[in-house]
Amino acid sequence: QVQLVESGGGSVQTGGSLRLSCTISGYGSSTYCMGWFRQAPGKAREGIAVIDSDGDTAYAESMKDRFTISVDNAKNTLYLQMNSLKPEDTGIYYCAAGDQLRRGVCARPFGYWGQGTQVTVS
């Protein structure tokens, strides 16, 4: 059974930073795609960043200069470093995992999702 558990959310002032973590268990494949998504109040869920098992990353254009995705395979943990936070970054942040089809290409939609962690910027 695959489980993803996010942590690290909270309240922060404009311009501040947060690092989100996502611990993954039960994912049996050596190849993977993992990503961060968010959903702001009243808006559709949007993708933030994706990383695959080759270390290739991709970011939403609007966030690539402020957010960094990384993974620690030894700890089975995915991270999202968020800097220069803005009020419009407020929302529920989700991590997700799924199959890697080939380098740089992930199967969509992701098959496994965490429960989300709230980020509030004021």
Side-chain angles (χ1 to χ4, degrees):
Q1 181 180 0
V2 179
Q3 290 188 321
L4 290 78
V5 180
E6 301 98 336
S7 60
S11 296
V12 64
Q13 292 187 336
T14 298
S17 297
L18 282 175
R19 189 177 78 157
L20 304 183
S21 300
C22 174
T23 301
I24 303 166
S25 60
Y27 195 82
S29 176
S30 60
T31 62
Y32 58 80
C33 287
M34 291 189 285
W36 288 98
F37 300 78
R38 72 183 183 187
Q39 187 165 20
K43 295 187 177 181
R45 188 174 63 196
E46 62 178 337
I48 299 171
V50 174
I51 188 168
D52 66 21
S53 51
D54 292 302
D56 294 328
T57 59
Y59 291 86
E61 189 68 24
S62 62
M63 290 174 265
K64 67 178 183 177
D65 294 330
R66 299 186 296 121
F67 293 2
T68 303
I69 190 171
S70 62
V71 63
D72 186 332
N73 289 310
K75 296 182 178 180
N76 293 328
T77 301
L78 179 72
Y79 301 100
L80 183 69
Q81 177 67 43
M82 304 187 293
N83 300 325
S84 302
L85 284 163
K86 307 173 183 179
E88 51 264 43
D89 294 318
T90 294
I92 300 175
Y93 283 67
Y94 300 90
C95 64
D99 294 334
Q100 180 185 16
L101 298 179
R102 58 184 182 274
R103 182 164 188 164
V105 181
C106 301
R108 300 297 184 109
F110 283 66
Y112 306 99
W113 292 81
Q115 81 289 348
T117 186
Q118 177 71 44
V119 171
T120 303
V121 185
S122 60

